[in-house]
């Protein structure tokens, strides 16, 4: 699995905290181009109307995303300044409270004009751990979908290499912030998208809580790499942060019928968020699900760096492509990863039926990222409200 890594600094646009909510809402309502609502708790939501948005003035702006950290205002990306009249655009203090990396630009350096886009709700700027991700009120989207919205006939694999996810670098996808990675020494979430990957000698790794987990009897959630070189319709970095519902089917692999879903997996669903990009797969492959013990592939140095006292062979039972063949192999993994490894056998039914239940086929569609996922990754697509929500009651 080849993972592209792009590293230029982008400051996340932090949410407005509780103490600033009233002021933010007032500022929002005073902007002629804005539609404003409050979520009733601790955030004010601002969504700009479509159409060209003009600068607040020719002399000041708050820049959130830039290419050169030594010249933030001079290299500010188009569409990356605070919207006129918004809380973040009213003063330097407000700008800095919206993102610790933001730059308050004055004079000619304030020239970039915001592109028409919605400001997505963000986690709190007090970046001390996972927080609730608030979704701005949107028009209801039906959870029903037509057959045209589902992609059919693709299959899935699994991996766990502990490397920093590709979507944890800045500039990937249209999201409020990159998917969070974790420090290999402390396990704490990392909010700096430029920390080097553990698989390349750095200290940033995939977080242990990216392992799959069961939500309902017929529904699991987790994270995955998008296989973008095949026939799935997935395209690359722009898929970062997007969520998909995978519905497992009874289709089997041709040329010897070597794999497919176990009968108890058929009809179940899994919602995954794209955190990685796979450029080196072809054909009908669509998603490479993050599953501890499922194989490290060619990147077999990150896990041993992240977890002291374990050899690299412990993380996939010395089988880099396919991983552990039995549930008992999960006991070789660190305790924090074992439940995700065991999920592979208990819910996913890996290598049952004389070893033929593997790499199951799925139909998939894009959905709105559930809170259970964004509470882990902190990453929310800016267009998430356009897609159907997952009704947990439908999965018993």
């Amino acid at each position: 699995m080849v993972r592209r890594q792009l590293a230029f600094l982008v400051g996340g646009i932090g949410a407005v905290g509780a103490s600033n909510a009233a002021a933010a809402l007032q500022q929002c309502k005073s902007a002629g181009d804005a539609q404003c609502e409050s979520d009733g708790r601790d955030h004010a939501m601002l969504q700009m109307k479509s159409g060209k948005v003009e600068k607040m003035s020719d002399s000041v702006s708050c820049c959130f995303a830039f290419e050169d950290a030594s010249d933030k205002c001079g290299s500010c990306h188009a569409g990356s300044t605070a919207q006129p009249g918004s809380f973040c655009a009213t003063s330097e203090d407000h700008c800095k409270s919206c993102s610790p990396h933001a730059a308050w630009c004055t004079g000619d350096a304030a020239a970039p004009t915001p592109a028409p886009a919605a400001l997505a709700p963000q986690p709190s700027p007090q970046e001390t751990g996972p927080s609730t991700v608030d979704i701005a009120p949107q028009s209801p989207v039906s959870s029903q979908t037509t057959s045209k919205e589902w992609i059919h006939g693709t299959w899935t694999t699994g991996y766990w290499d502990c490397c920093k996810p590709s979507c944890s670098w800045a500039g990937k996808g249209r999201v409020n912030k990159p998917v969070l990675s974790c420090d290999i020494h402390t396990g704490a979430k990392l909010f700096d998208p430029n920390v080097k990957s553990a698989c390349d000698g750095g200290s940033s790794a995939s977080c242990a809580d990216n392992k799959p987990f069961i939500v309902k009897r017929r529904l699991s959630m987790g994270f995955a790499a998008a296989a973008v070189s095949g026939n799935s319709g997935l395209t690359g970095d722009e898929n970062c942060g997007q969520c998909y519902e995978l519905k497992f089917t009874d289709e089997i692999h041709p040329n010897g019928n070597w794999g497919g879903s176990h009968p108890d997996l058929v009809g179940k669903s899994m919602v995954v968020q794209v955190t990685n990009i796979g450029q080196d797969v072809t054909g009908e492959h669509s998603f490479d699900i993050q599953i501890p013990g499922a194989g490290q592939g060619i990147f077999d140095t990150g896990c041993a760096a992240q977890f002291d006292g374990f050899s690299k062979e412990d993380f996939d039972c010395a089988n880099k492509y396919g991983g552990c063949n039995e549930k008992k192999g999960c006991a070789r993994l660190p305790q924090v990863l074992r439940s995700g490894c065991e999920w592979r056998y208990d819910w996913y039914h890996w290598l049952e039926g004389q070893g033929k239940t593997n790499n199951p086929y799925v139909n998939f569609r894009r959905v709105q990222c559930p809170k259970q996922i964004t509470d882990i990754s902190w990453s929310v697509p800016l267009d998430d409200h356009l897609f159907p929500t997952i009704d947990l009651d439908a999965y018993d």
Side-chain angles (χ1 to χ4, degrees), residues 286-305:
S286 54
F287 293 95
D288 204 9
I289 303 171
Q290 280 192 272
I291 309 172
Q296 297 170 92
I298 61 174
F299 298 98
D300 61 356
T301 61
C303 291

Side-chain angles (χ1 to χ4, degrees), residues 68-298:
D68 183 356
S70 66
D71 184 19
K72 296 179 180 180
C73 295
S75 63
C76 188
H77 293 296
S80 298
T81 55
Q83 300 289 1
S86 69
F87 175 82
C88 304
T90 54
S91 72
E92 184 173 4
D93 287 343
H94 289 175
C95 175
K96 294 293 187 180
S97 73
C98 291
S99 170
H101 300 301
W104 183 248
C105 303
T106 60
D108 293 338
T113 302
L119 288 184
Q122 311 295 323
S124 168
Q126 297 177 350
E127 298 172 331
T128 57
S131 70
T132 299
V133 177
D134 295 315
I135 303 301
Q138 303 288 349
S139 301
V141 180
S142 171
S143 62
Q144 302 298 317
T145 182
T146 66
S147 60
K148 292 182 179 179
E149 293 176 312
W150 289 85
I151 304 298
H152 300 273
T154 72
W155 51 278
T156 59
T157 52
Y159 82 102
W160 189 276
D161 60 13
C162 299
C163 298
K164 175 180 179 175
S166 174
C167 299
S168 293
W169 293 101
K172 302 296 188 78
R174 295 189 66 252
V175 292
N176 65 333
K177 66 169 58 185
V179 169
L180 296 188
S181 60
C182 283
D183 184 85
I184 63 171
H185 304 296
T186 66
K189 300 280 185 178
L190 292 173
F191 294 89
D192 181 355
N194 298 303
V195 179
K196 195 175 182 180
S197 174
C199 293
D200 195 26
S203 60
S204 174
S206 182
C207 298
D209 59 8
N210 285 187
K211 62 191 176 185
F213 54 95
I214 299 172
V215 178
K216 305 280 282 188
R217 185 181 67 85
R218 294 193 301 111
L219 177 67
S220 283
M221 294 183 184
F223 301 86
V228 302
S229 298
N231 304 326
S232 63
L234 301 169
T235 53
D237 288 346
E238 54 266 44
N239 297 125
C240 279
Q242 295 175 353
C243 289
Y244 293 87
E245 178 183 7
L246 317 182
K247 188 176 289 293
F248 297 97
T249 70
D250 61 359
E251 192 170 353
I252 57 177
H253 289 265
N255 302 323
N257 300 332
W258 54 268
S261 298
H262 186 278
D264 290 344
L265 182 62
V266 174
K268 290 182 178 180
S269 289
M270 183 177 189
V271 177
V272 297
Q273 184 174 46
V274 174
T275 57
N276 239 326
I277 304 300
Q279 305 282 359
D280 57 341
V281 291
T282 59
E284 297 172 345
H285 190 181
S286 54
F287 293 95
D288 204 9
I289 303 171
Q290 280 192 272
I291 309 172
Q296 297 170 92
I298 61 174

Side-chain angles (χ1 to χ4, degrees), residues 252-373:
I252 57 177
H253 289 265
N255 302 323
N257 300 332
W258 54 268
S261 298
H262 186 278
D264 290 344
L265 182 62
V266 174
K268 290 182 178 180
S269 289
M270 183 177 189
V271 177
V272 297
Q273 184 174 46
V274 174
T275 57
N276 239 326
I277 304 300
Q279 305 282 359
D280 57 341
V281 291
T282 59
E284 297 172 345
H285 190 181
S286 54
F287 293 95
D288 204 9
I289 303 171
Q290 280 192 272
I291 309 172
Q296 297 170 92
I298 61 174
F299 298 98
D300 61 356
T301 61
C303 291
Q306 185 177 12
F307 296 97
D308 290 337
F310 293 84
S311 70
K312 65 181 182 181
E313 289 80 11
D314 289 331
F315 293 92
D316 52 23
C317 299
N319 181 21
K320 294 200 298 184
Y321 301 98
C324 301
N325 291 327
E326 298 178 282
K327 182 179 177 180
K328 66 181 182 181
C330 298
R332 298 181 61 172
L333 274 66
Q335 183 66 46
V336 71
L337 298 179
R338 289 178 191 171
S339 64
C341 179
E342 292 167 352
W343 171 92
R344 194 185 190 201
Y345 304 92
D346 297 338
W347 192 90
Y348 196 60
H349 296 286
W350 181 255
L351 291 186
E352 295 185 22
Q354 297 181 336
K356 287 189 175 182
T357 58
N358 62 82
N359 297 338
Y361 274 85
V362 295
N363 298 329
F364 70 89
R365 61 168 180 163
R366 187 170 167 195
V367 296
Q368 190 173 131
C369 290
K371 182 177 182 295
Q372 291 91 335
I373 285 178

